[in-house]
Amino acid sequence: MEAEQDAGSMCKTPRKLTKRAKTWEISDSEPEEDPASVEKDDAKAMELARSNQRSLQEKPEAYEMSRDGGKEESDSQPSAEVLTATLPAPLHATITPSPNKRTKRRKNPEELEADRILAEERKKEKEAKRLEKERIRNLEKEEKEKRKESALALKLLRPDHCGKYMTVQLDAGLLQDAGCEDLLDSLRTVGYNYSIEPHSVPYSVTWRREMPGDWTCVEGLELCRGEEDEMLILVDPKDFLTSVCCFIQAPATSRDTETMGPAFGFAKKYPNKKITLVILGLRDYRRCQRLSHKMERHSLEVKARRDLGDSWVTWRQIDEALVFLQLYYNTEVVNLETWKQFGQHVCAVTKSVAQRPFRKHWEAQSYSFCTSAGSWRGWGPRGSLAGLPLVWRRQIQQLNRVSPAMAAAITEAYPSPQLLMQAYAACNTEREKLSLLSDLRVPRNTGATEEGEDPDDDASSTLGDEPAAGKERRIGPDISRRIWLFMTATNPELVLDLNS
């Protein structure tokens, strides 16, 4: 019995300690609980109820004994575990829509059609922009490829590559002379290709340009693929002098219409060629002709003397014939002495003909005389004077008897040509303009180069002209007059310095 009472007392004790409140009241002083914390507490309560149910199922004997031992108390007051296990699960809080929330209005067919049209326009505009960007990208790509091809093509015409594609065509008649070996040696030494073949003009030299098959012509480049328009003709001195005699004997009115001699008719036969006549040994031939004339002068044969007199021409007559060929037929005449000189002349003409397209293309470019962008850094780094102020000082210093100190004094008073012209315009009379710079003071050079002086001028070069150091002198009326004329005169033949 005592054991049963002890067990009953042990079961009664927790019933007395744990009591569930039937009603819940919220004090005004206590803050409302957060919905998140409430949901968390509900979850904990549900978990506790499930654990109690599992404990009751596992130990039903303890529950029955506690129920028999304390039947009176259980009838009046149930246990906390049972009450907790039998609690219903809390319902989740539902979110009620706000009364201020606007409802989405359905669009009518007209508005839907307008939105569809606007969407199509936006789509078309976006597509047009995409096509324009693609077109610009393709144009840039084509331009880049075109520039690349032009650069590769122009590389073949550069001075260090153009000679590889030139072929010197020699007439077979040139090999009849023993000195032709010097001509061939000159071409081999330089590295030019040559070919020997019969020409329509005997003893002539022409050039042919052979570019690679995949070569693309550069835009704006005048290139003659094939035979060039240059022709070099070797003329015998006797034939040339005979042509000069025909030129002298022909009437002055018909010289430009008739063909005078064998050497002067090539220009009319080949009008598309730039012809150059080369005469080998003209002075030696005339020297031999003079000696034979002296020998024949003592001869008794009058006919021989008459024939010799008809073929004799003076150097003045030769010069007149050369001027006539140059003016009317655009034909040049070159006098050479040996075959070696002839070979050097052929190599020089070959180089000029090979580089001609590249030079013309380079000269046609804008500012072909300027260096690459960013490479010009003005004058030297010494001193603070550089750029246009230094150019203005040197422009004044180029006049006679104007020392660097005088030029520095003038440019310090008038730092730019425009300021000097404004000072001239402010003068009322010509006398004032002539003497505007005459009273400017020029300090004597002390022998050291100042910071603002021309960095390229040596200070010691002016010590001889200005021996009195530490004193000052004026520019003077003569230099003032010359500078005024230099800045305002329009006659290019005007002499500024009267003492020159």
Side-chain angles (χ1 to χ4, degrees):
M1 290 296 292
E2 292 178 1
E4 291 179 0
Q5 290 178 0
D6 294 336
S9 63
M10 290 175 66
C11 294
K12 291 177 183 179
T13 303
R15 293 195 193 100
K16 294 179 181 181
L17 293 176
T18 58
K19 292 184 179 181
R20 181 180 177 84
K22 296 182 178 179
T23 60
W24 296 86
E25 294 182 0
I26 300 175
S27 175
D28 296 335
S29 61
E30 295 179 359
E32 296 182 0
E33 294 181 356
D34 190 24
S37 61
V38 172
E39 293 179 1
K40 188 182 293 185
D41 296 337
D42 294 339
K44 290 181 179 180
M46 292 175 64
E47 184 67 25
L48 182 60
R50 294 190 187 97
S51 62
N52 291 337
Q53 288 180 2
R54 287 194 297 269
S55 62
L56 291 175
Q57 292 175 1
E58 293 175 358
K59 299 179 180 180
E61 298 83 6
Y63 177 70
E64 292 293 337
M65 184 173 55
S66 62
R67 186 178 59 179
D68 297 336
K71 185 176 181 180
E72 297 177 1
E73 285 82 5
S74 63
D75 294 335
S76 60
Q77 188 176 7
S79 64
E81 291 81 357
V82 175
L83 292 176
T84 304
T86 59
L87 284 176
L91 298 175
H92 293 284
T94 59
I95 301 175
T96 59
S98 175
N100 298 328
K101 186 176 181 180
R102 295 181 181 179
T103 59
K104 187 175 181 180
R105 185 177 65 85
R106 298 184 63 181
K107 296 182 179 181
N108 52 26
E110 290 79 4
E111 293 177 348
L112 293 175
E113 183 67 18
D115 293 343
R116 186 183 64 79
I117 295 174
L118 182 60
E120 290 180 356
E121 291 179 355
R122 290 178 180 176
K123 185 177 180 180
K124 290 180 180 179
E125 184 178 358
K126 187 176 181 181
E127 184 69 16
K129 289 182 179 180
R130 186 186 66 80
L131 294 176
E132 182 67 18
K133 289 182 179 179
E134 186 176 358
R135 186 183 67 83
I136 295 174
R137 193 182 302 110
N138 293 335
L139 288 177
E140 291 178 353
K141 186 177 180 180
E142 292 177 1
E143 187 68 21
K144 185 177 180 180
E145 292 293 334
K146 190 175 181 180
R147 288 197 303 267
K148 185 178 180 180
E149 292 178 0
S150 299
L152 292 176
L154 195 62
K155 183 179 180 181
L156 302 179
L157 298 177
R158 281 172 19 184
D160 52 343
H161 293 85
C162 59
K164 301 177 182 178
Y165 308 100
M166 295 299 300
T167 302
V168 184
Q169 302 178 120
L170 304 176
D171 182 54
L174 294 173
L175 301 181
Q176 297 177 5
D177 197 291
C180 67
E181 190 64 28
D182 295 335
L183 171 62
L184 301 180
D185 289 341
S186 300
L187 294 175
R188 294 193 200 100
T189 302
V190 180
Y192 292 135
N193 302 323
Y194 65 90
S195 64
I196 300 173
E197 53 191 33
H199 289 181
S200 58
V201 181
Y203 306 101
S204 62
V205 180
T206 57
W207 289 266
R208 184 176 68 252
R209 189 187 302 272
E210 298 177 351
M211 301 302 295
D214 56 347
W215 186 81
T216 304
C217 185
V218 183
E219 183 178 358
L221 179 65
E222 298 180 1
L223 181 64
C224 178
R225 299 182 65 179
E227 189 171 351
E228 296 286 340
D229 57 353
E230 291 284 338
M231 180 182 289
L232 204 65
I233 302 176
L234 185 63
V235 180
D236 187 78
K238 182 178 179 180
D239 296 338
F240 177 75
L241 293 178
T242 303
S243 300
V244 173
C245 289
C246 296
F247 167 76
I248 297 300
Q249 295 173 3
T253 58
S254 62
R255 286 179 178 178
D256 56 344
T257 58
E258 296 181 358
T259 302
M260 288 78 64
F264 289 8
F266 296 115
K268 283 191 174 182
K269 293 180 181 179
Y270 305 96
N272 298 328
K273 293 288 186 179
K274 176 62 175 63
I275 297 176
T276 302
L277 303 180
V278 178
I279 306 172
L280 284 181
L282 179 60
R283 294 184 180 276
D284 294 340
Y285 180 80
R286 285 180 59 83
R287 189 180 300 111
C288 295
Q289 191 180 24
R290 190 181 301 109
L291 292 176
S292 72
H293 176 66
K294 289 180 181 180
M295 293 174 63
E296 293 293 338
R297 189 170 52 182
H298 302 285
S299 177
L300 298 178
E301 297 180 2
V302 181
K303 183 179 179 181
R305 291 201 304 269
R306 185 173 63 250
D307 295 341
L308 184 61
D310 293 340
S311 62
W312 178 259
V313 292
T314 62
W315 281 109
R316 183 171 182 176
Q317 294 172 344
I318 293 175
D319 293 339
E320 290 178 2
L322 297 182
V323 172
F324 174 79
L325 289 174
Q326 181 68 34
L327 294 179
Y328 288 92
Y329 295 112
N330 195 21
T331 301
E332 296 181 0
V333 179
V334 180
N335 291 320
L336 301 176
E337 299 298 331
T338 61
W339 277 88
K340 186 176 182 180
Q341 295 179 0
F342 179 59
Q344 294 175 356
H345 181 73
V346 170
C347 293
V349 175
T350 304
K351 181 179 179 181
S352 178
V353 172
Q355 296 180 3
R356 183 194 301 167
F358 183 81
R359 290 197 307 267
K360 286 186 177 181
H361 177 75
W362 190 255
E363 291 173 359
Q365 303 299 318
S366 300
Y367 303 104
S368 60
F369 57 87
C370 292
T371 57
S372 59
S375 63
W376 186 80
R377 293 181 175 85
W379 303 97
R382 296 175 295 169
S384 60
L385 191 64
L388 295 178
L390 182 56
V391 174
W392 170 231
R393 179 175 296 188
R394 289 185 172 183
Q395 192 173 10
I396 297 297
Q397 190 179 339
Q398 69 181 349
L399 301 175
N400 288 339
R401 299 188 304 279
V402 176
S403 63
M406 293 181 180
I410 296 172
T411 53
E412 287 177 3
Y414 303 97
S416 67
Q418 185 177 6
L419 295 177
L420 182 57
M421 295 301 297
Q422 292 176 0
Y424 282 135
C427 297
N428 297 326
T429 61
E430 186 176 354
R431 187 186 183 100
E432 293 181 3
K433 296 178 182 179
L434 289 172
S435 59
L436 178 64
L437 305 176
S438 59
D439 293 334
L440 291 179
R441 297 291 178 176
V442 181
R444 296 286 185 178
N445 199 338
T446 58
T449 304
E450 299 179 359
E451 184 183 3
E453 287 191 12
D454 190 342
D456 295 340
D457 291 330
D458 190 4
S460 61
S461 61
T462 59
L463 293 178
D465 298 337
E466 302 171 359
K471 297 182 180 180
E472 293 182 352
R473 61 188 181 90
R474 298 183 303 120
I475 293 293
D478 180 62
I479 296 178
S480 178
R481 179 192 64 82
R482 285 191 285 147
I483 293 177
W484 177 72
L485 293 176
F486 171 70
M487 297 296 297
T488 59
T490 58
N491 182 15
E493 303 296 335
L494 181 64
V495 179
L496 302 180
D497 192 359
L498 298 178
N499 296 328
S500 60

